[in-house]
Amino acid sequence: MKRLFLFAFYDPQGVVGEAALRYLEALRALGDIVLATDCDLQTGEAEKFAPLVVSYEAARHGEYDFGSYKRAFRQADLAGYDFVYLVNDSVVGPLCSLEPYLQRMEALGTDAFGLVLNPSRHGRHLQSWFIGLKPSVFRAPWFAEFLTGVEALGRKEDVCNQYENGLVRLLEAHQASYAGLWELRGKAIYNAVGRLSRQGFPFLKKSAFTRHGGSLGPAVAQALSTADPAMADAVTADLDRLYGEEYRRAFLGASPLRAWGRYLHYLFRKRFSFLASFA
């Protein structure tokens, strides 16, 4: 199978971190990559990934990941590909070999597929950080019109509704089938780090590093302990770069009791802030 990955990259410091580079290397072993960023890169950073990609575009555009998918799609020559993937670096990984997961998704027999399907009543959707498409979708004029029509919206919630949820609405409107390897409701992809790790889930959402006051540290540490050592080291290096070594040590080294205390502190502050808004 010939695969093309449209990769949406973002880093708050404009740096191609160790984990992102490992991710790109894993994808390059499985297909071709066209990359677009939603950030300006520091001098010399593009040189890190340039040998791994067919082409790239690096500039701040403010349209979030779908804006990067749009720019990568415009660059891409789709001829000859069996699958096109939309992927972004809101996750770290893969924590293990990725190829079996691609094979399982591609064997679902649907026009579109993803690692995660959220069956929300308010907006059923494939989570847009890892979606695969067959030619019946990525060559369709209606898909090209949808993706090339992406524009900046005011809030991230609007982006999710218009484009992430909107993609599934578009698939349904054109009788295109879709499915996910995992079906996760609500915020499970962010919060159920331990359970997903035990199930062999191949990625961690980056938000787990700071979510709920840093209380997910033990679960993240457990997931990294079973991951490919090179990827675990890369994640550690990025944690040090983005949050500082002191935070990383406290986060990954927290006992379950200390992590629970952080969660209670987070809940207290959230409740206090909520009540203060009515004062």
Side-chain angles (χ1 to χ4, degrees):
M1 292 297 179
K2 192 174 181 183
R3 306 179 180 102
L4 175 65
F5 299 96
L6 305 183
F7 193 95
F9 176 87
Y10 172 79
D11 185 88
Q13 298 176 352
V15 170
V16 181
E18 292 296 323
L21 196 56
R22 290 283 179 182
Y23 191 5
L24 289 168
E25 289 171 348
L27 293 177
R28 182 64 189 90
L30 299 168
D32 296 328
I33 305 170
V34 175
L35 181 148
T37 78
D38 189 12
C39 60
D40 296 317
L41 296 177
Q42 292 186 25
T43 302
E45 288 300 304
E47 296 172 5
K48 295 179 181 178
F49 61 65
L52 299 172
V53 304
V54 174
S55 63
Y56 69 88
E57 179 178 323
R60 176 69 170 162
H61 54 71
E63 297 175 2
Y64 293 96
D65 292 322
F66 271 91
S68 293
Y69 294 151
K70 174 179 74 173
R71 286 159 174 80
F73 184 77
R74 284 175 172 171
Q75 295 177 62
D77 179 358
L78 304 178
Y81 288 104
D82 300 291
F83 300 100
V84 168
Y85 283 84
L86 309 178
V87 297
N88 70 45
D89 65 342
S90 64
V91 295
V92 293
L95 305 178
C96 53
S97 175
L98 187 57
E99 187 169 16
Y101 297 90
L102 299 187
Q103 293 173 343
R104 286 168 57 191
M105 286 188 288
E106 292 163 2
L108 289 171
T110 53
D111 298 300
F113 44 85
L115 270 173
V116 177
L117 172 67
N118 187 328
S120 170
R121 293 178 302 161
H122 306 293
R124 181 180 176 87
H125 61 276
L126 293 167
Q127 293 193 350
S128 60
W129 53 271
F130 208 108
I131 293 177
L133 307 169
K134 285 186 176 180
S136 54
V137 176
F138 70 76
R139 291 188 183 279
W142 49 263
F143 176 75
E145 182 180 2
F146 168 80
L147 197 55
T148 58
V150 169
E151 58 186 20
L153 298 175
R155 301 181 306 158
K156 189 174 182 179
E157 292 80 4
D158 297 329
V159 173
C160 292
N161 180 62
Q162 184 76 10
Y163 299 122
E164 188 172 54
N165 297 357
L167 177 56
V168 162
R169 292 195 297 267
L170 184 72
L171 293 171
E172 292 173 342
H174 290 275
Q175 292 79 52
S177 57
Y178 61 92
L181 278 191
W182 270 265
E183 188 169 299
L184 300 175
R185 296 182 180 274
K187 302 293 186 181
I189 186 63
Y190 305 103
N191 298 332
V193 174
R195 172 166 62 87
L196 290 173
S197 174
R198 291 189 292 273
Q199 292 175 357
F201 198 75
F203 291 97
L204 282 170
K205 289 292 283 186
K206 287 181 179 178
S207 61
F209 301 146
T210 55
R211 190 166 177 79
H212 292 171
S215 62
L216 296 176
V220 170
Q222 176 60 34
L224 292 178
S225 73
T226 61
D228 173 77
M231 177 56 74
D233 290 344
V235 173
T236 298
D238 277 355
L239 282 170
D240 286 351
R241 173 175 66 88
L242 292 168
Y243 305 110
E245 183 178 351
E246 183 178 354
Y247 179 87
R248 186 261 302 173
R249 290 183 180 277
F251 175 69
L252 294 179
S255 66
L257 182 61
R258 179 173 288 275
W260 180 243
R262 288 180 180 172
Y263 183 63
L264 291 177
H265 181 66
Y266 157 79
L267 289 178
F268 175 80
R269 291 187 62 183
K270 183 177 180 180
R271 182 60 174 246
F272 180 80
S273 297
F274 174 79
L275 293 175
S277 67
F278 290 94

